[in-house]
Amino acid sequence: NAGVTQTPKFRVLKTGQSMTLLCAQDMNHEYMYWYRQDPGMGLRLIHYSVGEGTTAKGEVPDGYNVSRLKKQNFLLGLESAAPSQTSVYFCASSLRRGLSGELFFGEGSRLTVL
Amino acid sequence: DQQVKQNSPSLSVQEGRISILNCDYTNSMFDYFLWYKKYPAEGPTFLISISSIKDKNEDGRFTVFLNKSAKHLSLHIVPSQPGDSAVYFCAASAGSGGSNYKLTFGKGTLLTVNP
């Protein structure tokens, strides 16, 4: 059981380049999330999805786009990368909302924008 | 405005002693609280949680205490082990009835347990 898988694990971009991070989960979870982790900032929610075909903005959505065309996949896109987007990105999923709230995280994708 | 605060960036304890990690929150709508543990180069993993209808939840060596009037929670690890060395994130959500599914995280506390 792979859980939550993120690809790629590492990427270096030049300013202005675009890229897509892929998140795949095999737990049949409804909800999926993209967080970024920066030193001294904790985990901040970028975008999330409550089901196939839906997306919503989190705390820090600017500069990112997302898509959830299939239930098991959640894509995070950077159309024009900026150095401020250098971060570690974590995808997460959860089975149900509300009382549980437990998220299952991927291993992270380290992105460097030069 | 930071809604979940972990004011201690780091904590160092001796093996076998108690580790106490603290977390404060400002949003009175939060009603479910979780602790996550993160090792380097790995994703966070769920550790323990507590609903606002309780003031204590225990799971083995880990106990979470909630003081709603003070908007404060703490994680106790007894006895601490070197394998507990990690970053611990406090997280909170609002709307346990099903209307909210987003977690707000604190900045984390790096726990180091010395042999």
Side-chain angles (χ1 to χ4, degrees):
Chain A
N1 191 349
V4 179
T5 304
Q6 295 180 226
T7 52
K9 298 285 192 294
F10 303 92
R11 184 74 186 269
V12 178
L13 288 177
K14 294 181 179 179
T15 298
Q17 287 185 317
S18 63
M19 75 157 298
T20 300
L21 295 175
L22 171 63
C23 177
Q25 53 95 2
D26 60 3
M27 297 174 283
N28 201 35
H29 285 174
E30 286 293 331
Y31 312 108
M32 297 187 74
Y33 313 80
W34 277 106
Y35 284 87
R36 61 178 287 176
Q37 185 193 12
D38 302 292
M41 297 297 290
L43 291 158
R44 293 183 292 168
L45 182 63
I46 305 171
H47 285 281
Y48 65 100
S49 167
V50 300
E52 181 178 321
T54 74
T55 62
K57 295 180 180 180
E59 297 175 65
V60 288
D62 294 341
Y64 305 95
N65 56 76
V66 288
S67 64
R68 183 99 182 267
L69 299 179
K70 294 182 178 180
K71 184 177 182 179
Q72 63 268 32
N73 296 336
F74 195 30
L75 279 64
L76 178 71
L78 287 72
E79 291 184 347
S80 180
S84 61
Q85 294 178 304
T86 294
S87 187
V88 180
Y89 292 85
F90 288 99
C91 177
S93 68
S94 64
L95 177 61
R96 62 183 185 272
R97 59 189 178 188
L99 191 61
S100 172
E102 179 184 345
L103 303 185
F104 293 82
F105 284 87
E107 294 185 342
S109 297
R110 182 175 292 277
L111 175 65
T112 302
V113 183
L114 302 176
Chain B
D1 180 33
Q2 197 180 356
Q3 299 186 66
V4 177
K5 302 178 183 180
Q6 294 177 256
N7 293 319
S8 297
S10 62
L11 173 68
S12 182
V13 300
Q14 286 299 120
E15 180 178 6
R17 306 295 291 271
I18 184 172
S19 295
I20 300 177
L21 294 92
N22 294 304
C23 179
D24 298 293
Y25 61 97
T26 58
N27 188 341
S28 58
M29 298 301 292
F30 287 149
D31 58 3
Y32 199 76
F33 305 90
L34 306 90
W35 285 93
Y36 281 79
K37 177 179 179 179
K38 184 184 179 306
Y39 293 116
E42 294 184 10
T45 55
F46 171 74
L47 186 59
I48 192 170
S49 62
I50 187 167
S51 165
S52 60
I53 63 174
K54 297 184 176 181
D55 55 17
K56 176 183 175 181
N57 188 27
E58 190 172 355
D59 183 2
R61 297 186 295 114
F62 303 92
T63 303
V64 57
F65 296 91
L66 176 62
N67 182 333
K68 290 188 292 292
S69 61
K71 292 189 175 68
H72 176 83
L73 62 155
S74 60
L75 174 68
H76 292 211
I77 306 174
V78 183
S80 301
Q81 299 174 354
D84 296 329
S85 297
V87 176
Y88 289 79
F89 289 102
C90 173
S93 70
S96 58
S99 61
N100 190 292
Y101 19 76
K102 296 178 288 180
L103 292 184
T104 300
F105 285 84
K107 294 183 178 182
T109 297
L110 174 62
L111 172 66
T112 302
V113 180
N114 301 303

